[in-house]
Amino acid sequence: MKKYENGSFRISNVGEKVTLKGWVSKKRNLGGLLFIDLRDRSGIIQLVIRPEDKCYKEAESLKNEYVIEVEGTIVERESKNKNVPTGDIECEVSNLKIINSSIDLPFEIADDVTALEDTRLKYRYLDIRRDPIKNKLILRHQVMLLIRNYLSSLGFVEVETPILCKSTPEGARDYLVPSRIFNGRFYALPQSPQIYKQLLMIGGMEKYFQIARCFRDEDLRADRQPEFTQIDIEMSFIEEEDIWNLIKNLMKKIFQEIKGIDLPKFERISYTDCMNRFGSDKPDLRFKMEIEEISSIFKNTEFQVFSNILKEKGIINAIVLKNHAEDYSRKKIEELTEFVKIYGAKALSYLKVQNKELTGSISKVLSDKEKESLISTLKLEENDLVFVIADQYKVVKTALGALRVKLAHECHLIDENEYKFLWVTNFPMFEYSEEEQRYVAAHHPFTSPNLEDVDKLFTDQEHCFSRAYDLVLNGYELLSGSIRIHDQELQEKVFEAIGMTLEEAKQKFGFFLEAFQYGTPPHGGVGIGLDRLIMILSGTENVRDVIAFPKTASASDLMSEAPNTVDERQLKELGIKLK
Ligand code: ASP
């Protein structure tokens, strides 16, 4: 086995005779002297070979990424390099052996590469040789180990659950696997181990976790992958506070050990307040710019656009961008108007405070009294810029919420070294699906409704809230979870409320409903998105950077070329005929 880590040598090692192995990372010829950076996972060490050395000829023939073995002595460098951990020393080579050669590379193995990401993904094994990818994989390992150790120390048991299973309703499309033995039948890959972890609670495991792979056949977004990893946790005999404490302590530990940071207080906001104040259920709290309700200022307004909206039961809200009015020209504001249209807003009004006066698109149509109220309600000061949207609730909130984030990025209001955690609680039990024209479960149908809302299950689905919660970090949804239903009757009611007949529920989850009859403990849990957590910890916005062999936005693996065709024989065994 290889004995040394190339990146570990320091001045204290001078004089040691060593045998080193690794990849040729760089070769330079300086006035006859050959310098080679020899890389392994731990880093690089500089090798020196002199013209008089017997291995000189062979060393001259080396190319990048050849695998070699050298014998030599660690010596102090004449000119030291402070930028490399091994920069005080080098290895004077006495013997060199080429173990393997390499053909020309599709891109350089360097921290900054100009190669397209597609090229890097096609040759991912080369990409992994680069520090930016390699270090993230090592970090991922450290975080997983820490989580395993921490949860184990608290009495949690890691249990593996099936990959070939019956579909779990998490709201996404299933990946299906055809059965060879039962032609025409399918397994589903788990969207999460939700049903199994609840069955483990019925099985008396009490404290379960699993670093679990989950599969969802969805159209991908920047931070999504078709298969991703969840730290899946479930506990019996608990309330919300128990889970929130556990997760807070786990996050504190991770951020302390990995980043040396003491996390500040975790905020808590109900879903409804969160939408009102931030227009999003995953707000970034590293900057303020909250959405302000200003409808009442305009209740007698003569400005028809506003009065019409209020008549139609719409609302008028604003956000204030402090001290940046001069940075936004009319043209830039037109671009923002186009931006809010994506969220359904028909118009974006604005006001600037300049030379102690309100100017801007609606300054002429507002009365003096309205302007004064705006100045005092919004606490406006010189050089502030106010954006106003008047429309129906959902449009106003989501458009201003998105604008809030865009402005914060444009004006650099975000401190990248801050980590702001937020519990969003009391999610709605149902959400209306335009596609299906009915209410569906907002989280998953095993989530308990708020006990005082049980009677709204059939009568007022819009205002029926649940015991579901999310943990948000810097604008990312880091985890979802809930207290579950542990009562068979209530579970059946919830299925019915989302339009599933008892027959259908039994056909889909009969085994699950049956289990509920045998003494189900109260229980709840969470699924933490590991990939997102690692993304945030390693400071990347690209989820592919934290996965060894990720898929592209079209769910394909550029290296292995999966998905791909299969043999006619394989299809036949599965009883499948392609159209
Ligand atoms: N299974 C849920 C999810 O994947 C997490 C949970 O409720 O524990 O979102």
Side-chain angles (χ1 to χ4, degrees):
M1 197 165 75
K2 185 166 146 293
K3 187 168 169 193
Y4 297 104
E5 294 192 339
N6 296 350
S8 70
F9 292 97
R10 300 288 180 271
I11 199 82
S12 56
N13 300 103
V14 165
E16 286 177 19
K17 291 207 173 327
V18 292
T19 303
L20 305 175
K21 301 175 204 229
W23 288 262
V24 173
S25 168
K26 206 193 274 173
K27 189 181 84 180
R28 300 179 299 282
N29 187 328
L30 289 182
L33 281 187
L34 281 182
F35 291 97
I36 291 166
D37 284 347
L38 187 68
R39 190 191 65 239
D40 67 6
R41 196 182 71 198
S42 67
I44 53 163
I45 182 169
Q46 176 165 286
L47 311 177
V48 224
I49 300 134
R50 299 172 196 288
E52 58 271 27
D53 292 336
K54 65 178 190 305
C55 57
Y56 189 80
K57 267 233 111 49
E58 203 157 24
E60 260 193 319
S61 75
L62 293 175
K63 290 197 185 139
N64 279 357
E65 301 310 307
Y66 274 34
V67 181
I68 63 171
E69 175 183 313
V70 297
E71 285 168 25
T73 311
I74 305 294
V75 298
E76 185 169 354
R77 274 201 216 184
E78 253 171 47
S79 54
K80 304 200 165 52
N81 180 353
K82 291 277 161 254
N83 300 323
V84 204
T86 56
D88 288 346
I89 56 95
E90 58 195 3
C91 175
E92 271 187 359
V93 174
S94 53
N95 247 324
L96 181 151
K97 193 163 98 192
I98 298 178
I99 300 176
N100 217 335
S101 62
S102 164
I103 61 170
D104 287 344
L105 299 162
F107 54 86
E108 201 191 345
I109 311 295
D111 288 3
D112 298 316
V113 282
T114 49
L116 292 178
E117 195 187 17
D118 279 4
T119 312
R120 293 199 286 110
L121 290 178
K122 181 163 158 56
Y123 302 95
R124 188 58 157 182
Y125 44 87
L126 295 178
D127 205 21
I128 292 171
R129 289 185 191 172
R130 298 169 53 239
D131 278 349
I133 301 296
K134 178 192 73 188
N135 290 341
K136 290 185 183 69
L137 297 182
I138 295 172
L139 174 81
R140 187 179 176 114
H141 159 74
Q142 288 165 340
V143 174
M144 291 205 292
L145 193 63
L146 204 151
I147 292 173
R148 280 203 161 99
N149 287 338
Y150 183 71
L151 292 176
S152 304
S153 77
L154 296 176
F156 284 81
V157 176
E158 182 162 22
V159 183
E160 289 166 283
T161 53
I163 294 293
L164 294 177
C165 54
K166 213 169 168 176
S167 129
T168 318
E170 302 275 350
R173 195 180 292 114
D174 282 325
Y175 275 101
L176 298 176
V177 181
S179 160
R180 177 181 59 82
I181 298 177
F182 301 100
N183 279 187
R185 292 203 204 171
F186 296 82
Y187 301 98
L189 304 183
Q191 292 186 30
S192 91
Q194 186 63 36
I195 286 190
Y196 289 103
K197 68 172 169 177
Q198 291 192 242
L199 289 169
L200 286 169
M201 295 303 105
I202 299 177
M205 283 312 289
E206 293 194 30
K207 288 174 169 182
Y208 143 95
F209 82 101
Q210 180 181 191
I211 301 191
R213 203 57 77 78
C214 306
F215 306 85
R216 296 181 191 180
D217 190 358
E218 287 179 290
D219 291 332
L220 305 182
R221 287 195 247 126
D223 61 344
R224 286 246 175 101
Q225 283 276 298
E227 53 177 307
F228 59 94
T229 307
Q230 249 181 23
I231 311 292
D232 200 40
I233 297 177
E234 196 76 6
M235 293 151 88
S236 294
F237 307 110
I238 44 100
E239 302 281 338
E240 282 87 339
E241 290 294 336
D242 300 297
I243 298 180
W244 297 347
N245 262 324
L246 170 81
I247 299 298
K248 183 184 73 192
N249 291 336
L250 175 64
M251 289 301 152
K252 278 188 175 267
K253 180 136 187 101
I254 292 172
F255 277 77
Q256 178 55 256
E257 297 211 357
I258 300 290
K259 298 203 80 86
I261 288 175
D262 277 327
L263 289 180
K265 191 169 160 254
F266 284 34
E267 303 289 333
R268 280 184 200 178
I269 312 182
S270 73
Y271 170 85
T272 308
D273 285 350
C274 198
M275 292 307 290
N276 282 336
R277 290 170 55 189
F278 303 101
S280 159
D281 59 2
K282 38 179 182 294
D284 193 333
L285 294 192
R286 289 174 298 175
F287 58 95
K288 290 213 166 61
M289 226 196 301
E290 291 192 18
I291 299 175
E292 312 273 354
E293 172 54 72
I294 52 170
S295 304
S296 63
I297 297 180
F298 301 102
K299 59 178 188 289
N300 299 318
T301 191
E302 308 221 321
F303 180 38
Q304 277 213 344
V305 178
F306 283 5
S307 63
N308 284 344
I309 288 287
L310 293 179
K311 260 186 236 144
E312 290 159 15
K313 300 221 153 45
I315 56 169
I316 304 168
N317 282 189
I319 52 175
V320 181
L321 177 61
K322 301 283 316 161
N323 203 19
H324 278 280
E326 65 194 7
D327 302 331
Y328 281 83
S329 61
R330 191 171 292 183
K331 183 158 170 281
K332 260 177 123 176
I333 294 177
E334 268 165 30
E335 282 165 21
L336 298 178
T337 308
E338 289 306 307
F339 174 76
V340 296
K341 282 187 185 161
I342 303 172
Y343 301 89
K346 289 179 269 311
L348 178 67
S349 311
Y350 73 94
L351 290 166
K352 287 179 171 183
V353 190
Q354 279 177 327
N355 304 320
K356 304 206 172 77
E357 266 189 60
L358 281 185
T359 61
S361 68
I362 48 172
S363 63
K364 298 243 157 47
V365 294
L366 301 185
S367 69
D368 287 346
K369 196 165 156 239
E370 285 164 347
K371 287 190 204 170
E372 272 160 32
S373 293
L374 277 176
I375 292 176
S376 63
T377 309
L378 300 176
K379 303 191 179 65
L380 297 182
E381 294 169 317
E382 186 64 17
N383 204 22
D384 286 353
L385 175 51
V386 186
F387 290 101
V388 180
I389 297 183
D391 214 310
Q392 292 304 307
Y393 178 90
K394 200 169 166 205
V395 169
V396 171
K397 294 298 180 185
T398 46
L400 284 178
L403 184 62
R404 172 182 176 268
V405 175
K406 186 174 170 64
L407 294 172
H409 282 278
E410 284 185 2
C411 299
H412 307 288
L413 304 183
I414 297 172
D415 177 352
E416 297 294 337
N417 295 315
E418 248 192 313
Y419 297 93
K420 285 278 179 77
F421 283 86
L422 166 73
W423 286 108
V424 181
T425 66
N426 271 294
F427 269 78
M429 184 73 186
F430 305 105
E431 65 192 13
Y432 193 73
S433 158
E434 295 292 344
E435 199 185 318
E436 298 181 40
Q437 298 271 308
R438 65 180 179 94
Y439 279 95
V440 296
H443 189 48
H444 50 60
F446 313 115
T447 298
S448 171
N450 271 344
L451 294 182
E452 64 271 22
D453 286 348
V454 170
D455 54 349
K456 295 191 187 137
L457 280 175
F458 298 99
T459 54
D460 187 6
Q461 293 188 317
E462 193 187 336
H463 298 106
C464 180
F465 289 91
S466 73
R467 297 177 76 182
Y469 37 77
D470 278 1
L471 182 64
V472 175
L473 168 55
N474 293 356
Y476 286 102
E477 177 196 313
L478 197 59
L479 70 78
S480 284
S482 62
I483 300 294
R484 326 296 182 190
I485 298 164
H486 64 274
D487 170 85
Q488 190 197 8
E489 218 176 292
L490 183 57
Q491 184 64 77
E492 286 177 3
K493 266 194 197 161
V494 168
F495 283 141
E496 207 184 319
I498 55 169
M500 206 185 267
T501 62
L502 194 57
E503 281 315 299
E504 272 177 284
K506 284 204 167 130
Q507 199 247 330
K508 280 195 169 134
F509 315 110
F511 64 107
F512 188 57
L513 291 175
E514 189 182 0
F516 270 67
Q517 303 172 102
Y518 295 97
T520 304
H523 59 286
V526 297
I528 309 173
L530 179 71
D531 306 288
R532 273 186 208 164
L533 177 63
I534 306 295
M535 269 170 70
I536 296 168
L537 286 169
S538 63
T540 175
E541 285 177 8
N542 182 350
V543 69
R544 293 179 292 279
D545 284 353
V546 302
I547 298 172
F549 298 102
K551 304 216 166 32
T552 61
S554 55
S556 42
D557 174 350
L558 295 178
M559 185 184 63
S560 72
E561 296 180 343
N564 218 312
T565 51
V566 295
D567 289 347
E568 196 51 44
R569 181 181 50 84
Q570 285 174 296
L571 288 177
K572 213 168 155 203
E573 279 177 344
L574 296 168
I576 290 179
K577 214 176 173 147
L578 295 181
K579 268 228 270 207

